[in-house]
PDB file of all heavy atoms in Angstrom:
ATOM      1  N   VAL A 230       2.292  -1.320  -9.864  1.00  0.00           N
ATOM      2  CA  VAL A 230       2.415  -2.069  -8.583  1.00  0.00           C
ATOM      3  C   VAL A 230       3.042  -3.466  -9.041  1.00  0.00           C
ATOM      4  O   VAL A 230       3.886  -3.980  -8.250  1.00  0.00           O
ATOM      5  CB  VAL A 230       1.022  -2.288  -7.932  1.00  0.00           C
ATOM      6  CG1 VAL A 230       1.105  -3.327  -6.813  1.00  0.00           C
ATOM      7  CG2 VAL A 230       0.553  -0.906  -7.433  1.00  0.00           C
ATOM      8  N   GLU A 231       2.618  -4.134 -10.030  1.00  0.00           N
ATOM      9  CA  GLU A 231       3.171  -5.455 -10.391  1.00  0.00           C
ATOM     10  C   GLU A 231       4.696  -5.354 -10.759  1.00  0.00           C
ATOM     11  O   GLU A 231       5.394  -6.239 -10.414  1.00  0.00           O
ATOM     12  CB  GLU A 231       2.384  -6.050 -11.671  1.00  0.00           C
ATOM     13  CG  GLU A 231       0.948  -6.523 -11.403  1.00  0.00           C
ATOM     14  CD  GLU A 231       1.080  -7.719 -10.446  1.00  0.00           C
ATOM     15  OE1 GLU A 231       1.875  -8.531 -10.535  1.00  0.00           O
ATOM     16  OE2 GLU A 231       0.148  -7.723  -9.501  1.00  0.00           O
ATOM     17  N   PHE A 232       5.071  -4.266 -11.417  1.00  0.00           N
ATOM     18  CA  PHE A 232       6.428  -4.064 -11.711  1.00  0.00           C
ATOM     19  C   PHE A 232       7.326  -4.005 -10.416  1.00  0.00           C
ATOM     20  O   PHE A 232       8.291  -4.623 -10.194  1.00  0.00           O
ATOM     21  CB  PHE A 232       6.657  -2.682 -12.436  1.00  0.00           C
ATOM     22  CG  PHE A 232       8.144  -2.337 -12.684  1.00  0.00           C
ATOM     23  CD1 PHE A 232       8.802  -2.858 -13.601  1.00  0.00           C
ATOM     24  CD2 PHE A 232       8.670  -1.316 -11.738  1.00  0.00           C
ATOM     25  CE1 PHE A 232      10.146  -2.480 -13.821  1.00  0.00           C
ATOM     26  CE2 PHE A 232       9.973  -0.979 -11.910  1.00  0.00           C
ATOM     27  CZ  PHE A 232      10.723  -1.614 -13.028  1.00  0.00           C
ATOM     28  N   VAL A 233       6.796  -3.248  -9.383  1.00  0.00           N
ATOM     29  CA  VAL A 233       7.470  -3.177  -8.118  1.00  0.00           C
ATOM     30  C   VAL A 233       7.490  -4.442  -7.389  1.00  0.00           C
ATOM     31  O   VAL A 233       8.457  -4.992  -6.844  1.00  0.00           O
ATOM     32  CB  VAL A 233       6.843  -2.050  -7.226  1.00  0.00           C
ATOM     33  CG1 VAL A 233       7.482  -2.039  -5.769  1.00  0.00           C
ATOM     34  CG2 VAL A 233       6.980  -0.645  -7.883  1.00  0.00           C
ATOM     35  N   LYS A 234       6.309  -5.213  -7.457  1.00  0.00           N
ATOM     36  CA  LYS A 234       6.179  -6.503  -6.719  1.00  0.00           C
ATOM     37  C   LYS A 234       7.082  -7.483  -7.342  1.00  0.00           C
ATOM     38  O   LYS A 234       7.586  -8.285  -6.577  1.00  0.00           O
ATOM     39  CB  LYS A 234       4.656  -6.879  -6.940  1.00  0.00           C
ATOM     40  CG  LYS A 234       4.286  -8.166  -6.336  1.00  0.00           C
ATOM     41  CD  LYS A 234       2.741  -8.338  -6.610  1.00  0.00           C
ATOM     42  CE  LYS A 234       2.317  -9.732  -6.409  1.00  0.00           C
ATOM     43  NZ  LYS A 234       0.933  -9.921  -6.646  1.00  0.00           N
ATOM     44  N   ARG A 235       7.377  -7.472  -8.618  1.00  0.00           N
ATOM     45  CA  ARG A 235       8.219  -8.447  -9.180  1.00  0.00           C
ATOM     46  C   ARG A 235       9.692  -8.140  -9.162  1.00  0.00           C
ATOM     47  O   ARG A 235      10.503  -8.861  -9.548  1.00  0.00           O
ATOM     48  CB  ARG A 235       7.948  -8.534 -10.855  1.00  0.00           C
ATOM     49  CG  ARG A 235       6.636  -9.154 -11.240  1.00  0.00           C
ATOM     50  CD  ARG A 235       6.590  -9.418 -12.703  1.00  0.00           C
ATOM     51  NE  ARG A 235       7.154  -8.281 -13.504  1.00  0.00           N
ATOM     52  CZ  ARG A 235       6.329  -7.244 -14.036  1.00  0.00           C
ATOM     53  NH1 ARG A 235       5.055  -7.293 -13.809  1.00  0.00           N
ATOM     54  NH2 ARG A 235       6.855  -6.306 -14.698  1.00  0.00           N
ATOM     55  N   GLY A 236       9.970  -7.122  -8.338  1.00  0.00           N
ATOM     56  CA  GLY A 236      11.371  -6.740  -8.000  1.00  0.00           C
ATOM     57  C   GLY A 236      11.958  -5.659  -8.903  1.00  0.00           C
ATOM     58  O   GLY A 236      13.220  -5.566  -8.851  1.00  0.00           O
ATOM     59  N   GLY A 237      11.128  -5.047  -9.654  1.00  0.00           N
ATOM     60  CA  GLY A 237      11.656  -3.958 -10.498  1.00  0.00           C
ATOM     61  C   GLY A 237      12.260  -2.806  -9.766  1.00  0.00           C
ATOM     62  O   GLY A 237      13.121  -2.086 -10.265  1.00  0.00           O
ATOM     63  N   ALA A 238      11.957  -2.654  -8.453  1.00  0.00           N
ATOM     64  CA  ALA A 238      12.526  -1.626  -7.760  1.00  0.00           C
ATOM     65  C   ALA A 238      13.635  -2.037  -6.803  1.00  0.00           C
ATOM     66  O   ALA A 238      14.160  -1.292  -5.911  1.00  0.00           O
ATOM     67  CB  ALA A 238      11.352  -0.973  -6.835  1.00  0.00           C
ATOM     68  N   GLY A 239      14.087  -3.292  -6.983  1.00  0.00           N
ATOM     69  CA  GLY A 239      15.156  -3.796  -6.082  1.00  0.00           C
ATOM     70  C   GLY A 239      14.583  -4.903  -5.236  1.00  0.00           C
ATOM     71  O   GLY A 239      13.485  -5.182  -5.109  1.00  0.00           O
ATOM     72  N   ARG A 240      15.568  -5.435  -4.458  1.00  0.00           N
ATOM     73  CA  ARG A 240      15.274  -6.574  -3.597  1.00  0.00           C
ATOM     74  C   ARG A 240      14.517  -6.063  -2.277  1.00  0.00           C
ATOM     75  O   ARG A 240      14.792  -4.999  -1.784  1.00  0.00           O
ATOM     76  CB  ARG A 240      16.510  -7.196  -3.105  1.00  0.00           C
ATOM     77  CG  ARG A 240      17.107  -8.013  -4.256  1.00  0.00           C
ATOM     78  CD  ARG A 240      18.228  -8.966  -3.662  1.00  0.00           C
ATOM     79  NE  ARG A 240      18.853  -9.670  -4.762  1.00  0.00           N
ATOM     80  CZ  ARG A 240      18.455 -10.836  -5.207  1.00  0.00           C
ATOM     81  NH1 ARG A 240      17.349 -11.455  -4.647  1.00  0.00           N
ATOM     82  NH2 ARG A 240      19.057 -11.471  -6.091  1.00  0.00           N
ATOM     83  N   GLY A 241      13.577  -6.794  -1.827  1.00  0.00           N
ATOM     84  CA  GLY A 241      12.896  -6.544  -0.625  1.00  0.00           C
ATOM     85  C   GLY A 241      12.031  -7.663  -0.201  1.00  0.00           C
ATOM     86  O   GLY A 241      11.697  -8.510  -1.052  1.00  0.00           O
ATOM     87  N   SER A 242      11.674  -7.820   1.070  1.00  0.00           N
ATOM     88  CA  SER A 242      10.849  -8.870   1.453  1.00  0.00           C
ATOM     89  C   SER A 242       9.420  -8.441   1.752  1.00  0.00           C
ATOM     90  O   SER A 242       8.454  -9.178   1.868  1.00  0.00           O
ATOM     91  CB  SER A 242      11.419  -9.580   2.717  1.00  0.00           C
ATOM     92  OG  SER A 242      11.605  -8.614   3.787  1.00  0.00           O
ATOM     93  N   VAL A 243       9.308  -7.067   2.020  1.00  0.00           N
ATOM     94  CA  VAL A 243       7.862  -6.586   2.315  1.00  0.00           C
ATOM     95  C   VAL A 243       7.850  -5.224   1.525  1.00  0.00           C
ATOM     96  O   VAL A 243       8.760  -4.479   1.389  1.00  0.00           O
ATOM     97  CB  VAL A 243       7.802  -6.291   3.827  1.00  0.00           C
ATOM     98  CG1 VAL A 243       6.543  -5.468   4.128  1.00  0.00           C
ATOM     99  CG2 VAL A 243       7.822  -7.524   4.555  1.00  0.00           C
ATOM    100  N   LEU A 244       6.564  -5.094   0.887  1.00  0.00           N
ATOM    101  CA  LEU A 244       6.254  -3.784   0.260  1.00  0.00           C
ATOM    102  C   LEU A 244       5.204  -3.107   1.047  1.00  0.00           C
ATOM    103  O   LEU A 244       4.143  -3.800   1.303  1.00  0.00           O
ATOM    104  CB  LEU A 244       5.856  -4.103  -1.169  1.00  0.00           C
ATOM    105  CG  LEU A 244       5.403  -2.878  -1.971  1.00  0.00           C
ATOM    106  CD1 LEU A 244       6.514  -1.839  -2.102  1.00  0.00           C
ATOM    107  CD2 LEU A 244       4.900  -3.241  -3.373  1.00  0.00           C
ATOM    108  N   LEU A 245       5.394  -1.853   1.456  1.00  0.00           N
ATOM    109  CA  LEU A 245       4.367  -1.107   2.196  1.00  0.00           C
ATOM    110  C   LEU A 245       3.854  -0.048   1.291  1.00  0.00           C
ATOM    111  O   LEU A 245       4.468   0.440   0.438  1.00  0.00           O
ATOM    112  CB  LEU A 245       4.969  -0.396   3.434  1.00  0.00           C
ATOM    113  CG  LEU A 245       5.341  -1.228   4.675  1.00  0.00           C
ATOM    114  CD1 LEU A 245       6.048  -0.310   5.672  1.00  0.00           C
ATOM    115  CD2 LEU A 245       4.186  -1.848   5.279  1.00  0.00           C
ATOM    116  N   VAL A 246       2.623   0.303   1.620  1.00  0.00           N
ATOM    117  CA  VAL A 246       2.044   1.526   1.017  1.00  0.00           C
ATOM    118  C   VAL A 246       1.075   2.145   2.007  1.00  0.00           C
ATOM    119  O   VAL A 246       0.518   1.543   2.737  1.00  0.00           O
ATOM    120  CB  VAL A 246       1.234   1.174  -0.345  1.00  0.00           C
ATOM    121  CG1 VAL A 246       0.095   0.291  -0.047  1.00  0.00           C
ATOM    122  CG2 VAL A 246       0.839   2.450  -1.074  1.00  0.00           C
ATOM    123  N   GLY A 247       1.285   3.534   2.088  1.00  0.00           N
ATOM    124  CA  GLY A 247       0.453   4.271   2.983  1.00  0.00           C
ATOM    125  C   GLY A 247      -0.504   5.085   2.262  1.00  0.00           C
ATOM    126  O   GLY A 247      -0.156   5.736   1.245  1.00  0.00           O
ATOM    127  N   THR A 248      -1.784   5.188   2.688  1.00  0.00           N
ATOM    128  CA  THR A 248      -2.715   6.056   1.972  1.00  0.00           C
ATOM    129  C   THR A 248      -3.781   6.496   2.945  1.00  0.00           C
ATOM    130  O   THR A 248      -3.764   6.040   4.139  1.00  0.00           O
ATOM    131  CB  THR A 248      -3.309   5.115   0.850  1.00  0.00           C
ATOM    132  OG1 THR A 248      -4.250   5.926   0.039  1.00  0.00           O
ATOM    133  CG2 THR A 248      -4.223   4.011   1.363  1.00  0.00           C
ATOM    134  N   GLY A 249      -4.630   7.364   2.465  1.00  0.00           N
ATOM    135  CA  GLY A 249      -5.716   7.855   3.288  1.00  0.00           C
ATOM    136  C   GLY A 249      -6.880   6.823   3.377  1.00  0.00           C
ATOM    137  O   GLY A 249      -6.882   5.803   2.685  1.00  0.00           O
ATOM    138  N   ASP A 250      -7.800   7.170   4.260  1.00  0.00           N
ATOM    139  CA  ASP A 250      -8.982   6.253   4.515  1.00  0.00           C
ATOM    140  C   ASP A 250     -10.032   6.511   3.407  1.00  0.00           C
ATOM    141  O   ASP A 250     -11.099   7.078   3.726  1.00  0.00           O
ATOM    142  CB  ASP A 250      -9.540   6.511   5.904  1.00  0.00           C
ATOM    143  CG  ASP A 250     -10.625   5.599   6.229  1.00  0.00           C
ATOM    144  OD1 ASP A 250     -10.790   4.519   5.506  1.00  0.00           O
ATOM    145  OD2 ASP A 250     -11.310   5.787   7.230  1.00  0.00           O
ATOM    146  N   SER A 251      -9.644   6.164   2.225  1.00  0.00           N
ATOM    147  CA  SER A 251     -10.497   6.421   0.996  1.00  0.00           C
ATOM    148  C   SER A 251     -10.931   5.113   0.409  1.00  0.00           C
ATOM    149  O   SER A 251      -9.977   4.323   0.080  1.00  0.00           O
ATOM    150  CB  SER A 251      -9.679   7.238  -0.006  1.00  0.00           C
ATOM    151  OG  SER A 251     -10.311   7.273  -1.164  1.00  0.00           O
ATOM    152  N   PRO A 252     -12.156   4.797   0.501  1.00  0.00           N
ATOM    153  CA  PRO A 252     -12.671   3.427   0.010  1.00  0.00           C
ATOM    154  C   PRO A 252     -12.151   3.004  -1.395  1.00  0.00           C
ATOM    155  O   PRO A 252     -11.705   1.814  -1.447  1.00  0.00           O
ATOM    156  CB  PRO A 252     -14.163   3.537   0.036  1.00  0.00           C
ATOM    157  CG  PRO A 252     -14.425   4.654   1.013  1.00  0.00           C
ATOM    158  CD  PRO A 252     -13.317   5.621   0.865  1.00  0.00           C
ATOM    159  N   GLY A 253     -12.175   3.877  -2.302  1.00  0.00           N
ATOM    160  CA  GLY A 253     -11.605   3.529  -3.646  1.00  0.00           C
ATOM    161  C   GLY A 253     -10.257   3.161  -3.643  1.00  0.00           C
ATOM    162  O   GLY A 253      -9.840   2.193  -4.306  1.00  0.00           O
ATOM    163  N   THR A 254      -9.426   3.875  -3.021  1.00  0.00           N
ATOM    164  CA  THR A 254      -7.960   3.766  -3.007  1.00  0.00           C
ATOM    165  C   THR A 254      -7.697   2.487  -2.237  1.00  0.00           C
ATOM    166  O   THR A 254      -6.857   1.640  -2.686  1.00  0.00           O
ATOM    167  CB  THR A 254      -7.224   4.994  -2.399  1.00  0.00           C
ATOM    168  OG1 THR A 254      -7.649   6.079  -3.215  1.00  0.00           O
ATOM    169  CG2 THR A 254      -5.661   4.805  -2.443  1.00  0.00           C
ATOM    170  N   LEU A 255      -8.263   2.291  -1.101  1.00  0.00           N
ATOM    171  CA  LEU A 255      -8.003   1.121  -0.197  1.00  0.00           C
ATOM    172  C   LEU A 255      -8.451  -0.153  -1.052  1.00  0.00           C
ATOM    173  O   LEU A 255      -7.738  -1.143  -1.038  1.00  0.00           O
ATOM    174  CB  LEU A 255      -8.747   1.204   1.033  1.00  0.00           C
ATOM    175  CG  LEU A 255      -8.208   2.202   2.030  1.00  0.00           C
ATOM    176  CD1 LEU A 255      -9.274   2.440   3.244  1.00  0.00           C
ATOM    177  CD2 LEU A 255      -6.924   1.807   2.537  1.00  0.00           C
ATOM    178  N   SER A 256      -9.498  -0.111  -1.750  1.00  0.00           N
ATOM    179  CA  SER A 256     -10.022  -1.253  -2.534  1.00  0.00           C
ATOM    180  C   SER A 256      -9.043  -1.634  -3.695  1.00  0.00           C
ATOM    181  O   SER A 256      -8.762  -2.706  -3.876  1.00  0.00           O
ATOM    182  CB  SER A 256     -11.420  -0.937  -3.154  1.00  0.00           C
ATOM    183  OG  SER A 256     -11.802  -1.913  -4.001  1.00  0.00           O
ATOM    184  N   PHE A 257      -8.479  -0.581  -4.315  1.00  0.00           N
ATOM    185  CA  PHE A 257      -7.441  -0.800  -5.345  1.00  0.00           C
ATOM    186  C   PHE A 257      -6.217  -1.501  -4.826  1.00  0.00           C
ATOM    187  O   PHE A 257      -5.856  -2.558  -5.394  1.00  0.00           O
ATOM    188  CB  PHE A 257      -7.027   0.549  -5.998  1.00  0.00           C
ATOM    189  CG  PHE A 257      -5.759   0.420  -6.778  1.00  0.00           C
ATOM    190  CD1 PHE A 257      -5.810   0.012  -8.073  1.00  0.00           C
ATOM    191  CD2 PHE A 257      -4.559   0.864  -6.311  1.00  0.00           C
ATOM    192  CE1 PHE A 257      -4.629  -0.212  -8.757  1.00  0.00           C
ATOM    193  CE2 PHE A 257      -3.371   0.712  -7.039  1.00  0.00           C
ATOM    194  CZ  PHE A 257      -3.426   0.227  -8.336  1.00  0.00           C
ATOM    195  N   TYR A 258      -5.687  -1.058  -3.747  1.00  0.00           N
ATOM    196  CA  TYR A 258      -4.510  -1.675  -3.172  1.00  0.00           C
ATOM    197  C   TYR A 258      -4.783  -3.147  -2.609  1.00  0.00           C
ATOM    198  O   TYR A 258      -4.041  -4.040  -2.825  1.00  0.00           O
ATOM    199  CB  TYR A 258      -3.876  -0.867  -2.079  1.00  0.00           C
ATOM    200  CG  TYR A 258      -3.152   0.340  -2.587  1.00  0.00           C
ATOM    201  CD1 TYR A 258      -3.511   1.656  -2.293  1.00  0.00           C
ATOM    202  CD2 TYR A 258      -2.073   0.185  -3.393  1.00  0.00           C
ATOM    203  CE1 TYR A 258      -2.888   2.665  -2.764  1.00  0.00           C
ATOM    204  CE2 TYR A 258      -1.416   1.215  -4.028  1.00  0.00           C
ATOM    205  CZ  TYR A 258      -1.728   2.526  -3.668  1.00  0.00           C
ATOM    206  OH  TYR A 258      -1.116   3.550  -4.129  1.00  0.00           O
ATOM    207  N   LYS A 259      -6.023  -3.307  -2.135  1.00  0.00           N
ATOM    208  CA  LYS A 259      -6.366  -4.648  -1.679  1.00  0.00           C
ATOM    209  C   LYS A 259      -6.515  -5.596  -2.873  1.00  0.00           C
ATOM    210  O   LYS A 259      -6.022  -6.737  -2.868  1.00  0.00           O
ATOM    211  CB  LYS A 259      -7.659  -4.679  -0.869  1.00  0.00           C
ATOM    212  CG  LYS A 259      -7.430  -4.121   0.565  1.00  0.00           C
ATOM    213  CD  LYS A 259      -8.731  -4.007   1.350  1.00  0.00           C
ATOM    214  CE  LYS A 259      -8.431  -3.307   2.720  1.00  0.00           C
ATOM    215  NZ  LYS A 259      -9.692  -3.050   3.494  1.00  0.00           N
ATOM    216  N   LYS A 260      -6.992  -5.089  -3.994  1.00  0.00           N
ATOM    217  CA  LYS A 260      -7.138  -5.963  -5.271  1.00  0.00           C
ATOM    218  C   LYS A 260      -5.746  -6.234  -5.744  1.00  0.00           C
ATOM    219  O   LYS A 260      -5.561  -7.186  -6.468  1.00  0.00           O
ATOM    220  CB  LYS A 260      -7.969  -5.251  -6.237  1.00  0.00           C
ATOM    221  CG  LYS A 260      -9.528  -5.215  -5.950  1.00  0.00           C
ATOM    222  CD  LYS A 260     -10.207  -4.427  -6.929  1.00  0.00           C
ATOM    223  CE  LYS A 260     -11.732  -4.400  -6.577  1.00  0.00           C
ATOM    224  NZ  LYS A 260     -12.453  -3.515  -7.469  1.00  0.00           N
ATOM    225  N   CYS A 261      -4.846  -5.336  -5.451  1.00  0.00           N
ATOM    226  CA  CYS A 261      -3.389  -5.664  -5.953  1.00  0.00           C
ATOM    227  C   CYS A 261      -2.688  -6.639  -5.030  1.00  0.00           C
ATOM    228  O   CYS A 261      -1.522  -7.023  -5.365  1.00  0.00           O
ATOM    229  CB  CYS A 261      -2.605  -4.305  -5.992  1.00  0.00           C
ATOM    230  SG  CYS A 261      -3.131  -3.197  -7.313  1.00  0.00           S
ATOM    231  N   GLY A 262      -3.279  -7.046  -3.911  1.00  0.00           N
ATOM    232  CA  GLY A 262      -2.635  -7.983  -2.965  1.00  0.00           C
ATOM    233  C   GLY A 262      -2.170  -7.454  -1.695  1.00  0.00           C
ATOM    234  O   GLY A 262      -1.608  -8.191  -0.942  1.00  0.00           O
ATOM    235  N   PHE A 263      -2.378  -6.191  -1.401  1.00  0.00           N
ATOM    236  CA  PHE A 263      -1.972  -5.631  -0.094  1.00  0.00           C
ATOM    237  C   PHE A 263      -3.025  -6.075   1.023  1.00  0.00           C
ATOM    238  O   PHE A 263      -4.241  -6.178   0.631  1.00  0.00           O
ATOM    239  CB  PHE A 263      -1.935  -4.182  -0.281  1.00  0.00           C
ATOM    240  CG  PHE A 263      -0.673  -3.572  -1.010  1.00  0.00           C
ATOM    241  CD1 PHE A 263      -0.854  -3.451  -2.318  1.00  0.00           C
ATOM    242  CD2 PHE A 263       0.500  -3.429  -0.307  1.00  0.00           C
ATOM    243  CE1 PHE A 263       0.261  -2.882  -3.068  1.00  0.00           C
ATOM    244  CE2 PHE A 263       1.555  -2.947  -1.048  1.00  0.00           C
ATOM    245  CZ  PHE A 263       1.458  -2.732  -2.513  1.00  0.00           C
ATOM    246  N   ALA A 264      -2.536  -6.140   2.197  1.00  0.00           N
ATOM    247  CA  ALA A 264      -3.310  -6.440   3.388  1.00  0.00           C
ATOM    248  C   ALA A 264      -3.103  -5.344   4.348  1.00  0.00           C
ATOM    249  O   ALA A 264      -2.024  -4.738   4.429  1.00  0.00           O
ATOM    250  CB  ALA A 264      -3.060  -7.842   3.954  1.00  0.00           C
ATOM    251  N   PRO A 265      -4.095  -5.041   5.292  1.00  0.00           N
ATOM    252  CA  PRO A 265      -3.924  -4.109   6.364  1.00  0.00           C
ATOM    253  C   PRO A 265      -2.689  -4.284   7.162  1.00  0.00           C
ATOM    254  O   PRO A 265      -2.427  -5.433   7.499  1.00  0.00           O
ATOM    255  CB  PRO A 265      -5.122  -4.164   7.111  1.00  0.00           C
ATOM    256  CG  PRO A 265      -6.219  -4.645   6.230  1.00  0.00           C
ATOM    257  CD  PRO A 265      -5.416  -5.616   5.306  1.00  0.00           C
ATOM    258  N   SER A 266      -1.982  -3.241   7.607  1.00  0.00           N
ATOM    259  CA  SER A 266      -0.793  -3.377   8.297  1.00  0.00           C
ATOM    260  C   SER A 266      -0.902  -2.605   9.626  1.00  0.00           C
ATOM    261  O   SER A 266      -1.032  -3.188  10.634  1.00  0.00           O
ATOM    262  CB  SER A 266       0.438  -2.949   7.557  1.00  0.00           C
ATOM    263  OG  SER A 266       1.539  -2.878   8.395  1.00  0.00           O
ATOM    264  N   HIS A 267      -0.930  -1.242   9.590  1.00  0.00           N
ATOM    265  CA  HIS A 267      -1.054  -0.498  10.722  1.00  0.00           C
ATOM    266  C   HIS A 267      -1.543   0.989  10.351  1.00  0.00           C
ATOM    267  O   HIS A 267      -1.597   1.274   9.097  1.00  0.00           O
ATOM    268  CB  HIS A 267       0.307  -0.282  11.430  1.00  0.00           C
ATOM    269  CG  HIS A 267       1.485   0.221  10.645  1.00  0.00           C
ATOM    270  ND1 HIS A 267       2.108  -0.396   9.712  1.00  0.00           N
ATOM    271  CD2 HIS A 267       1.935   1.514  10.665  1.00  0.00           C
ATOM    272  CE1 HIS A 267       2.961   0.314   9.002  1.00  0.00           C
ATOM    273  NE2 HIS A 267       2.905   1.496   9.718  1.00  0.00           N
ATOM    274  N   VAL A 268      -1.843   1.800  11.325  1.00  0.00           N
ATOM    275  CA  VAL A 268      -2.389   3.150  11.121  1.00  0.00           C
ATOM    276  C   VAL A 268      -1.412   4.091  11.809  1.00  0.00           C
ATOM    277  O   VAL A 268      -1.019   3.831  12.956  1.00  0.00           O
ATOM    278  CB  VAL A 268      -3.789   3.201  11.741  1.00  0.00           C
ATOM    279  CG1 VAL A 268      -4.319   4.581  11.602  1.00  0.00           C
ATOM    280  CG2 VAL A 268      -4.767   2.248  10.963  1.00  0.00           C
ATOM    281  N   VAL A 269      -1.227   5.244  11.219  1.00  0.00           N
ATOM    282  CA  VAL A 269      -0.434   6.368  11.739  1.00  0.00           C
ATOM    283  C   VAL A 269      -1.507   7.479  11.993  1.00  0.00           C
ATOM    284  O   VAL A 269      -1.984   8.007  11.030  1.00  0.00           O
ATOM    285  CB  VAL A 269       0.755   6.856  10.949  1.00  0.00           C
ATOM    286  CG1 VAL A 269       1.282   8.131  11.640  1.00  0.00           C
ATOM    287  CG2 VAL A 269       1.691   5.760  10.707  1.00  0.00           C
ATOM    288  N   LYS A 270      -1.914   7.632  13.263  1.00  0.00           N
ATOM    289  CA  LYS A 270      -2.993   8.550  13.588  1.00  0.00           C
ATOM    290  C   LYS A 270      -2.596  10.051  13.283  1.00  0.00           C
ATOM    291  O   LYS A 270      -1.430  10.443  13.438  1.00  0.00           O
ATOM    292  CB  LYS A 270      -3.373   8.524  15.106  1.00  0.00           C
ATOM    293  CG  LYS A 270      -3.997   7.219  15.519  1.00  0.00           C
ATOM    294  CD  LYS A 270      -5.369   7.285  15.056  1.00  0.00           C
ATOM    295  CE  LYS A 270      -6.219   6.238  15.754  1.00  0.00           C
ATOM    296  NZ  LYS A 270      -7.563   6.118  15.210  1.00  0.00           N
ATOM    297  N   ASP A 271      -3.593  10.777  12.734  1.00  0.00           N
ATOM    298  CA  ASP A 271      -3.471  12.168  12.495  1.00  0.00           C
ATOM    299  C   ASP A 271      -2.301  12.636  11.574  1.00  0.00           C
ATOM    300  O   ASP A 271      -1.844  13.740  11.551  1.00  0.00           O
ATOM    301  CB  ASP A 271      -3.401  13.017  13.753  1.00  0.00           C
ATOM    302  CG  ASP A 271      -4.494  12.764  14.662  1.00  0.00           C
ATOM    303  OD1 ASP A 271      -5.675  12.790  14.121  1.00  0.00           O
ATOM    304  OD2 ASP A 271      -4.420  12.633  15.889  1.00  0.00           O
ATOM    305  N   PHE A 272      -1.860  11.677  10.701  1.00  0.00           N
ATOM    306  CA  PHE A 272      -0.807  11.893   9.764  1.00  0.00           C
ATOM    307  C   PHE A 272      -1.090  13.090   8.848  1.00  0.00           C
ATOM    308  O   PHE A 272      -0.340  14.080   8.704  1.00  0.00           O
ATOM    309  CB  PHE A 272      -0.389  10.653   8.971  1.00  0.00           C
ATOM    310  CG  PHE A 272       0.698  10.866   7.952  1.00  0.00           C
ATOM    311  CD1 PHE A 272       2.025  10.828   8.352  1.00  0.00           C
ATOM    312  CD2 PHE A 272       0.382  11.304   6.660  1.00  0.00           C
ATOM    313  CE1 PHE A 272       3.042  11.019   7.442  1.00  0.00           C
ATOM    314  CE2 PHE A 272       1.369  11.545   5.826  1.00  0.00           C
ATOM    315  CZ  PHE A 272       2.701  11.490   6.126  1.00  0.00           C
ATOM    316  N   PHE A 273      -2.229  13.029   8.195  1.00  0.00           N
ATOM    317  CA  PHE A 273      -2.556  13.982   7.250  1.00  0.00           C
ATOM    318  C   PHE A 273      -2.903  15.365   7.831  1.00  0.00           C
ATOM    319  O   PHE A 273      -2.521  16.464   7.287  1.00  0.00           O
ATOM    320  CB  PHE A 273      -3.801  13.625   6.352  1.00  0.00           C
ATOM    321  CG  PHE A 273      -3.406  12.506   5.428  1.00  0.00           C
ATOM    322  CD1 PHE A 273      -3.652  11.120   5.816  1.00  0.00           C
ATOM    323  CD2 PHE A 273      -2.704  12.759   4.207  1.00  0.00           C
ATOM    324  CE1 PHE A 273      -3.456  10.150   4.964  1.00  0.00           C
ATOM    325  CE2 PHE A 273      -2.308  11.613   3.403  1.00  0.00           C
ATOM    326  CZ  PHE A 273      -2.718  10.384   3.701  1.00  0.00           C
ATOM    327  N   THR A 274      -3.534  15.462   8.953  1.00  0.00           N
ATOM    328  CA  THR A 274      -3.815  16.628   9.681  1.00  0.00           C
ATOM    329  C   THR A 274      -2.571  17.249  10.382  1.00  0.00           C
ATOM    330  O   THR A 274      -2.575  18.429  10.566  1.00  0.00           O
ATOM    331  CB  THR A 274      -4.928  16.450  10.807  1.00  0.00           C
ATOM    332  OG1 THR A 274      -4.607  15.444  11.623  1.00  0.00           O
ATOM    333  CG2 THR A 274      -6.285  16.146  10.025  1.00  0.00           C
TER     334      THR A 274
END
């Protein structure tokens, strides 16, 4: 995540990540500096 954040994947102004409603995964991304953005209903189903 830090590699991508520092620009290793190219230029950008916003980095998005989509994941399921899993407490451990959401906690990991929040600790990396991500904040809630939006929800796509019924994506996985």
